[in-house]
C-alpha cells in the first residue's frame, strides 16, 4: 500500500507529512523518541462510518428486538420500542442530543443496554459482535459493517506505524464490541482499544472461571473522560489525536501538551455523495478547530477514495 495513497495532495496531507517529518528527524527541535510517539483515535465517525447511527447501535437493536419479541411488555418502552420499530431516528437523536449536552435519552438507552447483555460471558459477546460486523450490511452503503472503515484513515494508521508511532483507539463506543475486528481492519490489537464498558464479574467454575457482564455501568468513554482513560491505560499523553465530534474535544486538546508538538485531526463529514454530509454534534469541535488551528480533514476535498472497494 503506497503511503497515504487515498489522500489528495492538499494542505491537510501536507500538514500530516510535515508533522511526522518533524517529530521523527533526530536532532531536530521537535524530535520525539519512538516511545513518545503515541496516537489516539476515536472510532465512530473517525475511523469508520457512524450514520445513520453508530454501528454498535445496530448490534444493540438486534438484541433489544429479541428481548421485546420474547417479552411483549417491553414493546411500548424505549429503547425496546425503537428496536422493534427500527426507529433509527430516535437512536440517532439520542447521540446528537448527547453531543449537545442532553443525556436524557442516553440514560434511557444505556439502561436498556445494561439489561440486554447482563449475564453474558465476554466470549459470547465477542462472538456475537464479530458475527454481526462481518455478516450484517450497512442500511445505505451496501457493504458489511466490517468494510465500513475509511481507507484514508487506515492508510494514515499504517503510515504512522511505519514511522514509529503506536496507535490506540479511544472511543465512546463499547470496547468489547470493537475488539474482535480492530486488528484486521486497522492493525490495532485488542489491548490497545480503549472504550466504554459495562461492569464485569468473575464467576469461578471447573474450567478456570468465566468473566461475564453485570447489569451495571462501568465507564462511558467520552468527553473529559477520554483523557483520563487514555492516561490510565497508556500512561502517556498522545502527540496525535483524531476525532470528529464535540465529545472528542478534550482528547484533541490533550494531544501534545506544554512544550511538545501535537497534531489534532478533526474529520469533517461533508460528502453526501460518497458517505454522509452532517455537522450535528460537531459544531463546537469545528469552532474550536478554527480557533486553535487544528487540522480539519474534509472527506470531500482531502480523500480521493472513502472505502477500500469504492
Amino acid at each position: 500500500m503506497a503511503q497515504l495513497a487515498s489522500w489528495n495532495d492538499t494542505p491537510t496531507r501536507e500538514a500530516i507529512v510535515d508533522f511526522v517529518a518533524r517529530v521523527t528527524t533526530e536532532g531536530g527541535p521537535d524530535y520525539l523518541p519512538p516511545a513518545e510517539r503515541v496516537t489516539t483515535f476515536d472510532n465512530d465517525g473517525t475511523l469508520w462510518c457512524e450514520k445513520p447511527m453508530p454501528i454498535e447501535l445496530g448490534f444493540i437493536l438486534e438484541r433489544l428486538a429479541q428481548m421485546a419479541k420474547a417479552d411483549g411488555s417491553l414493546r411500548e418502552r424505549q429503547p425496546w420500542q425503537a428496536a422493534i420499530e427500527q426507529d433509527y431516528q430516535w437512536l440517532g437523536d439520542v447521540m446528537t442530543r448527547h453531543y449537545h449536552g442532553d443525556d436524557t435519552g442516553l440514560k434511557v438507552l444505556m439502561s436498556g443496554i445494561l439489561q440486554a447483555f447482563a449475564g453474558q460471558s465476554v466470549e459470547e459477546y465477542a462472538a456475537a459482535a464479530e458475527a454481526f460486523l462481518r455478516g450484517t450490511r450497512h442500511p445505505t452503503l451496501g457493504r458489511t459493517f466490517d468494510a465500513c472503515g475509511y481507507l484514508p484513515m487506515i492508510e494514515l494508521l499504517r503510515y504512522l506505524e511505519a514511522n514509529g508511532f503506536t496507535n490506540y483507539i479511544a472511543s465512546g463506543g463499547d470496547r468489547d464490541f470493537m475488539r474482535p475486528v480492530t486488528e484486521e481492519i486497522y492493525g490495532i490489537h485488542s489491548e490497545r482499544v480503549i472504550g466504554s464498558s459495562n461492569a464485569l464479574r468473575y464467576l469461578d467454575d471447573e474450567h478456570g472461571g468465566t468473566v461475564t457482564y453485570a447489569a451495571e455501568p462501568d465507564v462511558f468513554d467520552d468527553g473529559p473522560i477520554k483523557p483520563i482513560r487514555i492516561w490510565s491505560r497508556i500512561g502517556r499523553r498522545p502527540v496525535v489525536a483524531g476525532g470528529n465530534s464535540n465529545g472528542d474535544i478534550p482528547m484533541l486538546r490533550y494531544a501534545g501538551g506544554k512544550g511538545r508538538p501535537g497534531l489534532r485531526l478533526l474529520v469533517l463529514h461533508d460528502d453526501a455523495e460518497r458517505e454522509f454530509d452532517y455537522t450535528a454534534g460537531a459544531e463546537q469541535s469545528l469552532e474550536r478547530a478554527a480557533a486553535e488551528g487544528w487540522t480539519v480533514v474534509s472527506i470531500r476535498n482531502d480523500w480521493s477514495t472513502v472505502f477500500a472497494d469504492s
Side-chain angles (χ1 to χ4, degrees):
M1 180 186 295
Q3 290 185 338
L4 304 181
S6 297
W7 291 76
N8 292 324
D9 188 11
T10 63
T12 299
R13 185 184 188 280
E14 182 180 344
I16 293 169
V17 172
D18 175 71
F19 178 84
V20 170
R22 286 190 290 114
V23 301
T24 59
T25 300
E26 293 193 44
D30 291 328
Y31 175 74
L32 294 172
E36 296 184 32
R37 298 175 202 167
V38 170
T39 82
T40 55
F41 287 87
D42 174 57
N43 190 42
D44 293 311
T46 301
L47 297 181
W48 73 12
C49 167
E50 68 173 354
K51 293 296 181 180
M53 61 181 178
I55 292 173
E56 181 186 342
L57 286 184
F59 174 63
I60 293 166
L61 273 182
E62 281 194 356
R63 175 59 183 152
L64 293 175
Q66 291 169 1
M67 295 173 69
K69 289 175 182 176
D71 182 355
S73 67
L74 297 174
R75 297 184 183 187
E76 303 301 319
R77 295 169 53 193
Q78 295 290 20
W80 293 274
Q81 182 180 354
I84 283 287
E85 297 175 358
Q86 297 186 334
D87 187 354
Y88 302 138
Q89 183 67 42
W90 184 85
L91 291 157
D93 287 347
V94 165
M95 299 310 299
T96 298
R97 291 200 304 272
H98 162 69
Y99 290 129
H100 288 150
D102 178 3
D103 282 343
T104 305
L106 184 64
K107 291 176 181 177
V108 172
L109 176 61
M110 292 302 292
S111 74
I113 293 172
L114 291 174
Q115 296 178 57
F117 300 108
Q120 197 170 80
S121 74
V122 292
E123 291 87 0
E124 290 168 340
Y125 180 92
E130 183 171 10
F132 173 82
L133 288 164
R134 299 190 189 282
T136 308
R137 290 193 173 275
H138 187 280
T140 63
L141 296 175
R143 62 185 65 245
T144 55
F145 284 127
D146 64 335
C148 287
Y150 300 132
L151 180 60
M153 296 302 286
I154 295 169
E155 291 175 353
L156 175 59
L157 293 171
R158 298 285 71 72
Y159 175 66
L160 292 168
E161 186 179 68
N163 282 279
F165 290 81
T166 302
N167 299 318
Y168 290 82
I169 290 174
S171 174
D174 183 78
R175 170 198 64 206
D176 294 339
F177 177 75
M178 296 179 281
R179 279 177 166 174
V181 295
T182 56
E183 183 173 354
E184 180 178 327
I185 299 175
Y186 310 128
I188 295 178
H189 298 283
S190 61
E191 65 268 22
R192 288 193 268 120
V193 177
I194 305 168
S196 299
S197 57
N198 289 356
L200 298 169
R201 296 287 184 271
Y202 171 75
L203 303 176
D204 196 12
D205 59 34
E206 67 274 20
H207 304 295
T210 303
V211 175
T212 63
Y213 295 99
E216 303 169 25
D218 182 21
V219 175
F220 183 48
D221 189 41
D222 197 49
I225 301 300
K226 281 198 175 188
I228 294 170
R229 292 280 282 171
I230 287 167
W231 177 260
S232 69
R233 287 286 304 278
I234 304 173
R236 292 186 183 274
R237 182 190 289 254
V239 293
V240 178
N244 77 299
S245 73
N246 298 338
D248 295 316
I249 291 173
M251 177 178 70
L252 292 165
R253 298 200 73 238
Y254 190 56
K258 185 177 181 181
R260 299 171 76 230
L263 177 65
R264 301 160 189 88
L265 301 172
L266 184 70
V267 176
L268 171 62
H269 296 268
D270 58 356
D271 194 328
E273 182 177 345
R274 297 185 299 173
E275 201 240 3
F276 297 96
D277 186 351
Y278 63 95
T279 58
E283 302 90 343
Q284 296 169 28
S285 61
L286 289 166
E287 291 175 3
R288 189 64 69 95
E292 299 187 7
W294 300 350
T295 301
V296 175
V297 179
S298 163
I299 292 180
R300 182 182 59 203
N301 299 325
D302 292 320
W303 294 354
S304 62
T305 301
V306 177
F307 302 106
D309 56 353
S310 58

